[in-house]
Amino acid sequence: MPFSAEELIVALILIVPGFISVNLVVHLFGTSQKFSEFEKSSWSLFFSFIIDSLFLWHRGLDTVEEIRGFGILFIEVGNITELFLISIALSFLCALFLRTGIINLFHSTLWLFSERKNYVQSPWEISLGTADWIIVTSDKIEYFGWLSAYSTHDQKREIVLGKPMIIRRNEEGEVNEDGKIPCGEQLIIPETRIDKVVVVSYRKTWGERFKDRFTKRRMKDGDTKKVSK
């Protein structure tokens, strides 16, 4: 049965918010990852389904007959505004969910007691994702500072150091207090100037902290058993 012009307009109104929501998530979260048209369309339709379900639930439309009976009312400004407000709210919550790193928590839990892990990201992103203080060798000069920002996905490999210092080593390769020279508030090091990156300290994930506590507890229990014997 052919669709009427009204039904086509309603269908567009119900589908478009999902596409807007996906684009908002990408911009709010700040990822530079490139998605294929199939991935964008799939996620957009998925988000449209969630947005429309929330809208229909709020309006009390439970059956296909009620939805079809709603008809031209979908095109009212108030309803369109509500759909887009739901889309914006969902985008913000999704971006916040990604920002909290809960997905990485699930991944760490899956590989909790494994010495090796499989990651979708590159070693660059894996290492710098939890890095705190690092040393970057650029043009035979060592810079020390905290990792303020770094590039991801298809961006050029760049690093931004906060509170950077130039490191000067003595003949033994050690660094004295006089060997750290402050050089501004931030230092941007482009891809062409990066030679080596050394992670001095990093923030442990929840899975790693749990594994450390579990290992310490097992060692403590083992020592207790030895003493009791």
Side-chain angles (χ1 to χ4, degrees):
M1 183 177 66
F3 292 98
S4 64
E6 176 188 320
E7 289 175 326
L8 290 175
I9 293 174
V10 170
L12 286 175
I13 291 174
L14 293 175
I15 291 175
V16 167
F19 286 82
I20 294 175
S21 187
V22 167
N23 283 280
L24 279 175
V25 170
V26 171
H27 284 86
L28 287 173
F29 180 61
T31 180
S32 62
Q33 185 175 358
K34 303 298 182 183
F35 297 97
S36 65
E37 292 300 322
F38 175 78
E39 289 175 320
K40 288 182 180 178
S41 300
S42 299
W43 280 110
S44 298
L45 292 174
F46 175 73
F47 272 76
S48 293
F49 173 78
I50 296 177
I51 295 167
D52 296 339
S53 298
L54 292 172
F55 175 81
L56 296 174
W57 171 78
H58 181 254
R59 290 291 177 177
L61 305 175
D62 300 323
T63 63
V64 176
E65 289 75 15
E66 289 177 335
I67 296 172
R68 290 181 64 89
F70 204 66
I72 196 68
L73 294 178
F74 274 107
I75 309 176
E76 289 186 355
V77 175
N79 293 326
I80 295 176
T81 303
E82 183 178 346
L83 279 169
F84 282 96
L85 287 177
I86 295 174
S87 175
I88 293 171
L90 182 63
S91 302
F92 180 82
L93 291 175
C94 185
L96 183 62
F97 175 82
L98 294 174
R99 174 64 182 84
T100 56
I102 296 178
I103 294 179
N104 294 330
L105 174 63
F106 294 151
H107 186 274
S108 299
T109 304
L110 179 65
W111 294 89
L112 185 59
F113 297 103
S114 176
E115 295 297 328
R116 297 181 181 179
K117 299 180 178 67
N118 292 339
Y119 280 96
V120 177
Q121 303 100 321
S122 66
W124 171 273
E125 294 177 66
I126 296 170
S127 300
L128 298 183
T130 57
D132 193 3
W133 293 85
I134 66 174
I135 296 175
V136 182
T137 304
S138 174
D139 295 335
K140 298 183 180 180
I141 300 176
E142 287 188 49
Y143 295 97
F144 174 77
W146 64 274
L147 184 60
S148 177
Y150 66 97
S151 58
T152 60
H153 301 295
D154 298 327
Q155 293 176 331
K156 292 183 178 180
R157 297 289 185 252
E158 295 179 328
I159 285 178
V160 180
L161 288 182
K163 299 294 183 181
M165 292 182 290
I166 296 176
I167 298 177
R168 290 184 177 177
R169 300 181 182 273
N170 56 28
E171 295 180 356
E172 288 75 23
E174 299 175 347
V175 181
N176 301 322
E177 288 301 321
D178 298 336
K180 297 181 180 179
I181 306 172
C183 54
E185 291 295 322
Q186 285 191 331
L187 177 65
I188 302 174
I189 306 178
E191 180 179 44
T192 54
R193 300 298 180 86
I194 297 175
D195 184 23
K196 296 182 180 66
V197 179
V198 178
V199 177
V200 178
S201 64
Y202 69 98
R203 300 180 298 276
K204 289 188 176 181
T205 63
W206 177 89
E208 290 174 327
R209 293 195 298 270
F210 178 81
K211 184 178 180 180
D212 289 343
R213 289 196 295 268
F214 181 80
T215 303
K216 289 179 181 179
R217 185 176 300 175
R218 287 187 61 183
M219 293 177 63
K220 184 177 179 180
D221 292 342
D223 293 338
T224 304
K225 290 180 180 178
K226 288 180 181 179
V227 172
S228 62
K229 288 180 180 180

